[in-house]
Amino acid sequence: MKRLLITSVFVLSLWGVAQAQTKMTLAEAIEYAEKNNQNIQNAQLEFEKSKAKVSEQLAAGYPQINGSADLGYNYIIPTTFIPDFISPSVYGVLFQEGVIPSKPLPEPEVFPAQFGTKYAGRAVVDVSQMVFDGSFFVGLKASRTFTELSRKDHIKTTIDVVAAVKKAYYMVLVNAERLELLEKNFNRLDTLLRETTIMQENGFAEKIDVSRIQVQFNNMKVARSNASVGLKLSKDLLKFQMGMPMSEELELSDTLDSIQYKALEEDFEEGFKYENRIEFSKLQTNFDLTAIDIQYTKVQYMPKIDLYANIGASYGTGTFDNMFAFGESWFGLGTVGLRLNVPIFDGFRKRSIVQQKQFQQKQVEHNMELVKNQIDLEKLQSEANLTTSIENLRAQRENMALAEDVYRVTKIKYEQGVGSNIEVLDADAAYKEAQTNYYAALYDALIASVDVETAYGKLLEK
């Protein structure tokens, strides 16, 4: 028992270490999401379903074989009425006597007769093969085009997930660096508080100076705690976007310095095509589907030809004991034929359907033009936002450096007795505000770079 306990503790400790060592770069996080995100998995399943739909459509062109069997007990045998050919005919009697009737005579009498057996059965195997059906080939083409549309839906879902993973990854990096800086601010204020307390105890500072710093220190503790919670929540959001269980530990390998700003390094406008955007590409496929749908309706005006055959046997008997006496009561049957089905008139139903599909095709054309305009607008807006974000980031980086220098000089002056405590606290507040503005600008720039990649359809490019 003791050995089992030691072994369990050892295994759990190794598992914990393995969890703590789970690190991912941005590229690895995206790759993980492409395999594990539930939305992508569902889109992949939808794509597989569409491929199975092609097989279903193709099956209609193969021979169709069906078997049927029928065993019945006629507890009342049907009655059929036939002319009375047994009794002497009135016409026959008159004809023999040489008499010509002056008016029509009544119809001959009929008598009922029961035809059939108490027990009857039939077993048949039917085989049919489509020889020509224009709608089959058009339908097969439509199902394959639908598969292409499902594939593009999968790509669109992947693009959305990759964008979400990138933004969540960047948020974690920014929050981690912000927390690291808050730790430094906390330590700086802690040092200032201790130094000011010593100065107050030695009569070189007033109690109000200590109280002012204590207020800032308390606020910093709260800010540090909030930042720690924010970092955890941003990691949880990243794991959610990746499709990773919340119970797993995740560490990021990339840093803000190692992130490549692809949007700043390439000229996306060169060689850009609207087909690069999956939204436009999907509309093109929808246009093709509508055209195939129109063709599918038109080919239904064409005749259909089927080859069919059946073989089987039937039986009839008056006693139940002979029901399965196949050699005595069963007789073979078989048919081979060619069936032609020619549509003649349907009240202009197909023509009305074609008109509807043509209007739908026009709508798709208009949507394609609308999406083109939307893409152009997104490109302009994303580039403008990126340019503005980069300029703001540079300005905030410079402001943070200046605020840090102001704080450093102000603190030196205070330590040398030529500055006031209020000036130090004001400088510290200005420095923290500059830090907050810098990280907000940094995150905005990262998000703007993702939006530019999305607008130009470059997000999935490695």
Side-chain angles (χ1 to χ4, degrees):
M1 182 66 182
K2 182 177 180 182
R3 180 178 298 178
L4 178 61
L5 179 60
I6 294 175
T7 304
S8 301
V9 172
F10 178 71
V11 171
L12 287 174
S13 63
L14 288 180
W15 178 74
V17 171
Q19 273 195 322
Q21 292 178 346
T22 304
K23 289 189 176 182
M24 289 188 182
T25 63
L26 176 58
E28 290 171 342
I30 291 174
E31 183 179 357
Y32 184 96
E34 289 176 344
K35 295 178 181 178
N36 296 278
N37 181 274
Q38 290 79 10
N39 290 328
I40 293 180
Q41 290 175 340
N42 285 337
Q44 179 64 35
L45 291 174
E46 198 66 35
F47 176 54
E48 297 299 330
K49 282 170 56 180
S50 67
K51 290 195 294 185
K53 191 70 176 178
V54 174
S55 300
E56 177 189 352
Q57 180 68 26
L58 191 61
Y62 296 142
Q64 308 294 308
I65 303 175
N66 297 288
S68 62
D70 180 20
L71 300 175
Y73 168 62
N74 297 315
Y75 63 92
I76 299 178
I77 298 177
T79 299
T80 302
F81 296 92
I82 60 176
D84 187 358
F85 57 87
I86 298 177
S87 302
S89 171
V90 175
Y91 288 97
V93 173
L94 294 176
F95 179 77
Q96 291 178 358
E97 295 178 355
V99 178
I100 299 176
S102 59
K103 60 181 180 178
L105 297 175
E107 292 292 330
E109 294 293 330
V110 297
F111 71 90
Q114 289 181 316
F115 291 96
T117 59
K118 287 185 175 295
Y119 299 94
R122 179 183 175 92
V124 180
V125 175
D126 293 296
V127 181
S128 64
Q129 172 62 56
M130 180 187 64
V131 177
F132 176 79
D133 186 350
S135 62
F136 165 75
F137 301 101
V138 178
L140 184 61
K141 183 178 179 181
S143 61
R144 287 173 175 166
T145 306
F146 180 75
T147 299
E148 177 65 13
L149 182 62
S150 297
R151 185 185 70 85
K152 291 181 178 180
D153 285 335
H154 178 264
I155 294 174
K156 177 63 169 66
T157 302
T158 303
I159 289 174
D160 293 340
V161 170
V162 169
V165 168
K166 274 194 168 186
K167 292 179 180 181
Y169 197 98
Y170 292 155
M171 180 181 292
V172 175
L173 291 180
V174 171
N175 286 343
E177 187 159 322
R178 178 183 289 146
L179 178 59
E180 183 179 348
L181 193 55
L182 285 174
E183 289 286 354
K184 293 179 180 179
N185 291 341
F186 177 84
N187 295 333
R188 187 180 68 249
L189 278 176
D190 183 55
T191 301
L192 180 62
L193 180 60
R194 284 188 286 104
E195 291 175 352
T196 306
T197 301
I198 294 173
M199 292 173 63
Q200 189 262 335
E201 291 173 352
N202 294 327
F204 296 101
E206 299 180 5
K207 183 173 179 53
I208 192 173
D209 296 333
V210 178
S211 299
R212 290 194 186 101
I213 299 175
Q214 184 68 51
V215 171
Q216 293 282 58
F217 181 76
N218 293 340
N219 291 336
M220 180 55 63
K221 281 200 300 185
V222 174
R224 185 182 65 166
S225 177
N226 292 340
S228 178
V229 173
L231 176 60
K232 182 183 183 306
L233 291 177
S234 61
K235 281 188 178 181
D236 290 341
L237 176 61
L238 175 58
K239 288 190 287 186
F240 172 77
Q241 300 293 2
M242 293 168 55
M244 176 181 286
M246 294 297 164
S247 58
E248 292 191 21
E249 294 294 330
L250 176 63
E251 298 294 332
L252 307 190
S253 301
D254 285 335
T255 63
L256 288 173
D257 294 332
S258 64
I259 293 295
Q260 294 182 353
Y261 296 90
K262 186 176 181 181
L264 302 178
E265 298 171 355
E266 298 184 18
D267 182 11
F268 289 157
E269 187 63 46
E270 183 178 355
F272 172 77
K273 297 179 180 179
Y274 290 106
E275 290 80 2
N276 295 348
R277 287 288 299 270
I278 192 64
E279 296 88 347
F280 185 80
S281 182
K282 284 178 60 179
L283 282 176
Q284 287 181 314
T285 305
N286 274 324
F287 183 86
D288 295 338
L289 271 176
T290 308
I292 293 172
D293 206 5
I294 293 174
Q295 185 182 2
Y296 177 81
T297 305
K298 288 181 177 179
V299 297
Q300 292 183 27
Y301 283 109
M302 302 176 65
K304 299 177 183 180
I305 303 175
D306 294 319
L307 180 66
Y308 68 92
N310 62 59
I311 184 171
S314 62
Y315 82 101
T317 179
T319 61
F320 181 80
D321 294 339
N322 296 330
M323 181 179 295
F324 301 102
F326 299 109
E328 299 177 4
S329 302
W330 289 78
F331 297 90
L333 59 89
T335 308
V336 176
L338 192 65
R339 183 184 299 111
L340 175 65
N341 186 2
V342 182
I344 297 176
F345 181 70
D346 63 353
F348 305 109
R349 178 176 176 271
K350 296 185 186 69
R351 187 180 70 173
S352 300
I353 294 176
V354 169
Q355 289 176 344
Q356 295 176 49
K357 300 301 180 182
Q358 288 173 339
F359 293 143
Q360 183 178 345
Q361 194 173 42
K362 278 292 183 182
Q363 289 178 319
V364 175
E365 288 180 346
H366 294 159
N367 288 335
M368 290 172 69
E369 291 300 320
L370 177 61
V371 169
K372 280 185 178 180
N373 293 333
Q374 289 177 340
I375 292 174
D376 291 337
L377 180 61
E378 289 177 10
K379 286 161 54 182
L380 293 174
Q381 288 179 335
S382 62
E383 288 180 341
N385 290 338
L386 180 60
T387 301
T388 303
S389 299
I390 295 299
E391 292 177 354
N392 186 38
L393 177 61
R394 290 169 180 166
Q396 297 302 330
R397 183 188 293 118
E398 183 179 354
N399 288 343
M400 186 173 67
L402 291 173
E404 182 182 13
D405 190 56
V406 169
Y407 174 80
R408 181 182 59 81
V409 173
T410 304
K411 188 173 182 295
I412 293 174
K413 289 173 61 179
Y414 174 69
E415 291 172 347
Q416 293 177 353
V418 295
S420 67
N421 174 268
I422 295 178
E423 290 177 339
V424 175
L425 294 179
D426 289 343
D428 178 74
Y431 182 32
K432 288 187 290 186
E433 182 181 359
Q435 291 172 348
T436 301
N437 293 337
Y438 167 73
Y439 284 111
L442 177 60
Y443 182 70
D444 290 342
L446 291 169
I447 299 304
S449 68
V450 176
D451 291 339
V452 169
E453 292 179 57
T454 304
Y456 280 90
K458 301 287 185 177
L459 199 61
L460 292 186
E461 292 187 2
K462 304 299 183 182

